């Protein structure tokens, strides 16, 4: 096409009103929630960028599929459709539906991981880490060193550090490493992609030591698109062919269909290992449901099967990755520090760089997230010392997290360019008065996963 504007490759078929709470209502909501954005009601939010998980809009074909859902307990037609789509994309032989990604993780790690084991990943997502640790095993993050430097610009900043992987295996012994996992894209590291070459290198090391290799495939299609854009030799490949090659390097995968399944719920565990599959299915029946629905309704399986096809559409992926980059470029051009280059599903604001006057133990990223909500009703999420820092048992300052970020995650097919322009305006306005933003102190916190329920006050 001779024109440069990348349009949303869909038109809107059903709309949902956005409430427009005024400043007074937002102040009241913050007060009630103790400055914790998880305590804000969705109808008090103008643009909700808390997560890209389960928040996307489904297509008319997905809704039509839901009407065809077969709710049979055993052997549902919808399951066989879902299974055939997942096999078609991944090439993996055993497909086990689960109610979401963490259920697939829980089942895989319960059957494959035991106390004293070590599981390497580029960067574990928090539920992945928690499920590894719940087994009494160690979750080790081995992303390349640039992967934790917000300003380092690299095409594949989510890559696994192959030397570190090899050194870890030599150090702990392959018998204590039940599997190696790679997260595509690397969510906790800024939504950064992993190259095909890196996946091949991980495969080669795993082969050398006889260790199974699994993908955390939540955003596999976005990763495939980055490979097409950035990795020599893939310019002319389709996202489907790239995805298939990515999965062909792995022995299995866990998936949250709430991301690149374009569905509001669902997930799966897929594997080529019949023994893992058998044990996983037995556990599935115990905790999720029978093997042909795994905690989902038949209509959810239909929505996911259709979503997995639609997510690989080139027009969709071009628009998706471009619209994330558009927000990133808008705010970066105004001098707002962000994780570079922008990832697939989110823009990450660098609160440590923006609020240098607020020390980590006064939660600069939480303070920034609160201000974005107060100023413009935009809800992001803190990924910093509130989420990953360690409280001091003696009541001293917390041990800080590696980075102080606010993630603005973009739901799929949900907001238009003017919504994103609005977000850009709010971010730029708040950043222009960053030196006035005060740090926070915690007034109450639970013993674990404090970011969901802790309360705060301004210092
Ligand atoms: N793995 C990754 C990389 C994820 O980003 C998530 C969820 C999961 C696993 C777990 O999947 O939510 O279906 O159980 N990430 C969401 C987020 C919650 O906001 O980033 P789930």
């Amino acid at each position: 096409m001779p024109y440069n504007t990348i349009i949303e490759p869909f038109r809107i078929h059903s709309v949902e009103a956005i409430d427009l709470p005024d400043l007074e209502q937002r102040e009241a909501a913050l007060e009630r929630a103790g400055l914790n954005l998880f305590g804000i009601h969705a109808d008090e939010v103008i643009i909700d960028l808390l997560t890209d998980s389960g928040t996307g809009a489904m297509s008319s074909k997905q809704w039509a599929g839901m009407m065809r859902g077969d709710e049979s307990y055993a052997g549902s037609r919808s399951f066989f459709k879902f299974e055939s789509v997942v096999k078609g994309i991944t090439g993996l032989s055993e497909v086990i539906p689960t109610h979401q990604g963490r259920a697939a993780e829980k089942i895989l790690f319960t059957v494959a991981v035991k106390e004293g084991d070590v599981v390497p990943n580029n960067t574990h997502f928090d539920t992945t880490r928690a499920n590894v640790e719940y087994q009494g095993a160690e979750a080790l993050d081995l992303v390349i060193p640039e992967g934790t430097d917000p300003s380092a610009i690299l095409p594949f900043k989510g890559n696994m550090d192959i030397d570190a992987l090899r050194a870890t295996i030599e150090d702990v012994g392959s018998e204590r490493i039940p599997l190696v996992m790679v997260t595509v894209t690397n969510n906790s590291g800024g939504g950064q992609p992993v190259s095909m070459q890196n996946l091949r290198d991980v495969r080669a090391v795993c082969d050398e030591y006889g260790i199974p290799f699994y993908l955390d495939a939540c955003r596999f299609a976005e990763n495939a698109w980055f490979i097409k854009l950035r990795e020599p030799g893939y310019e002319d490949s389709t996202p489907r062919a790239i995805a298939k090659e990515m999965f062909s390097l792995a022995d299995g995968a866990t998936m949250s269909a709430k991301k690149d399944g374009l569905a509001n719920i669902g997930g799966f565990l897929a594997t080529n290992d019949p023994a893992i599959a058998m044990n996983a299915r037995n556990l599935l029946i115990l905790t999720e449901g029978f093997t042909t629905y795994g905690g989902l309704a038949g209509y959810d399986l239909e929505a996911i099967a259709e979503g997995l096809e639609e997510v690989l559409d080139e027009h969709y992926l071009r628009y998706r990755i471009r619209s994330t980059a558009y927000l990133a470029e808008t705010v970066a051009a105004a001098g707002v520090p962000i994780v570079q280059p922008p990832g697939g599903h989110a823009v990450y604001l660098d609160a440590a760089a923006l609020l240098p006057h607020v020390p980590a133990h006064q939660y600069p990223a939480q303070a920034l997230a609160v201000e974005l909500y107060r100023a413009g009703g935009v809800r992001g999420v803190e990924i910093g010392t509130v989420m990953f820092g360690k409280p001091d048992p003696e009541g001293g300052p917390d041990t800080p997290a590696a980075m102080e970020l606010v993630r603005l995650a973009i739901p799929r097919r949900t907001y238009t360019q003017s919504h994103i322009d609005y977000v850009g305006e709010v971010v730029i306005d708040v950043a222009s008065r960053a030196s006035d933003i005060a740090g926070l102190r915690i007034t109450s916190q639970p013993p674990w996963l404090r970011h969901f329920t802790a309360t705060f006050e301004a210092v």
Side-chain angles (χ1 to χ4, degrees):
M1 280 219 289
Y3 306 110
N4 292 324
T5 309
I6 295 177
I7 63 169
E8 286 89 359
F10 48 81
R11 50 188 182 170
I12 295 164
H13 176 264
S14 159
V15 298
E16 183 184 359
I18 295 179
D19 288 290
L20 296 167
D22 61 21
L23 181 60
E24 203 179 313
Q25 289 166 310
R26 299 196 297 270
E27 297 272 13
L30 281 173
E31 168 111 16
R32 187 199 68 232
L35 305 184
N36 187 325
L37 300 182
F38 284 98
I40 304 287
H41 301 181
D43 56 12
E44 293 163 338
V45 176
I46 297 177
I47 305 287
D48 204 346
L49 307 182
L50 186 68
T51 179
D52 63 322
S53 180
T55 50
M58 293 212 296
S59 68
S60 50
K61 281 189 179 171
Q62 285 178 291
W63 284 109
M66 290 192 70
M67 287 303 290
R68 287 192 303 267
D70 173 0
E71 304 304 339
S72 304
Y73 191 95
S76 144
R77 185 177 62 238
S78 302
F79 169 74
F80 292 110
K81 179 166 175 191
F82 166 85
E83 183 189 45
S84 122
V85 170
V86 175
K87 282 185 176 174
I89 292 169
T90 66
L92 295 163
S93 59
E94 310 276 348
V95 178
I96 299 167
T98 59
H99 82 272
Q100 60 186 87
R102 67 198 69 183
E105 293 162 6
K106 168 80 178 141
I107 286 171
L108 174 64
F109 298 147
T110 303
V111 303
V113 177
K114 59 182 188 322
E115 201 174 334
D117 283 351
V118 175
V119 178
N121 201 318
N122 44 354
T123 312
H124 287 84
F125 179 66
D126 46 10
T127 61
T128 324
R129 166 175 293 279
N131 273 305
V132 169
E133 290 174 351
Y134 190 74
Q135 294 305 120
E138 187 189 349
L140 210 57
D141 291 341
L142 298 179
V143 71
I144 54 171
E146 296 88 340
T148 51
D149 172 359
S151 58
I153 297 190
L154 249 82
F156 293 103
K157 229 173 139 174
N159 280 355
M160 174 85 95
D161 183 333
I162 300 296
D163 292 339
L165 175 62
R166 192 182 287 281
T168 300
I169 300 171
E170 289 291 339
D171 185 34
V172 304
S174 58
E175 66 292 343
R176 277 178 60 208
I177 303 186
L179 57 99
V180 172
M181 210 164 197
V182 171
T183 306
V184 291
T185 58
N186 190 28
N187 182 13
S188 306
Q192 302 293 329
V194 177
S195 71
M196 194 74 83
Q197 187 56 49
N198 190 249
L199 295 177
R200 262 186 233 119
D201 293 344
V202 173
R203 171 82 261 171
V205 173
C206 286
D207 280 346
E208 197 180 315
Y209 293 94
I211 301 172
F213 171 29
Y214 279 72
L215 288 177
D216 177 341
C218 297
R219 299 177 180 86
F220 74 97
E222 292 172 5
N223 200 86
W225 187 254
F226 279 118
I227 288 177
K228 182 176 170 72
L229 292 184
R230 297 182 183 170
E231 192 159 353
Y234 288 95
E235 306 78 4
D236 299 324
S237 305
T238 62
R240 178 180 295 272
I242 296 171
K244 188 130 196 200
E245 186 176 342
M246 287 164 52
F247 283 109
S248 77
L249 294 165
D251 298 296
T254 56
M255 172 75 190
S256 168
K258 302 174 73 169
K259 284 81 169 175
D260 276 351
L262 297 178
N264 301 125
I265 195 71
F268 61 79
L269 166 63
T271 178
N272 281 334
D273 183 332
I276 293 274
M278 188 187 68
N279 293 333
R281 286 197 176 101
N282 289 335
L283 193 58
L284 187 83
I285 294 174
L286 202 66
T287 59
E288 290 275 295
F290 188 62
T291 57
T292 58
Y293 71 87
L296 295 167
Y299 54 60
D300 296 321
L301 294 167
E302 294 276 348
I304 298 166
E306 175 60 29
L308 288 169
E309 299 282 1
E310 290 179 8
V311 80
L312 289 168
D313 175 62
E314 296 209 9
H315 300 296
Y316 163 74
L317 284 169
R318 180 176 296 113
Y319 137 80
R320 168 71 176 160
I321 298 304
R322 186 60 211 135
S323 53
T324 304
Y326 174 77
L327 175 59
E329 284 163 17
T330 303
V331 300
V336 180
I338 60 169
V339 174
Q340 290 284 10
H345 67 296
V347 173
Y348 294 70
L349 309 178
D350 184 351
L354 192 60
L355 309 181
H357 58 287
V358 179
H361 67 271
Q362 290 178 6
Y363 316 116
Q366 182 69 19
L368 178 61
V370 165
E371 199 48 37
L372 292 173
Y373 173 74
R374 187 199 317 274
V378 173
R379 175 160 67 174
V381 69
E382 192 260 12
I383 302 191
T385 295
V386 179
M387 194 180 273
F388 291 123
K390 297 236 174 353
D392 180 65
E394 320 279 80
D398 295 348
T399 309
M403 296 191 272
E404 300 294 337
L405 305 176
V406 175
R407 183 183 78 169
L408 303 176
I410 305 181
R412 294 170 181 76
R413 304 191 295 202
T414 301
Y415 291 117
T416 65
Q417 188 166 355
S418 64
H419 293 123
I420 297 299
D421 284 335
Y422 172 81
V423 173
E425 208 181 327
V426 172
V427 170
I428 291 166
D429 170 49
V430 168
S432 74
R433 348 183 228 101
S435 57
D436 299 337
I437 299 175
L440 304 176
R441 79 167 67 86
I442 289 185
T443 50
S444 71
Q445 60 180 312
W448 50 74
L449 293 175
R450 65 178 176 175
H451 53 286
F452 291 121
T453 54
T455 54
F456 304 85
E457 64 185 13
V459 169

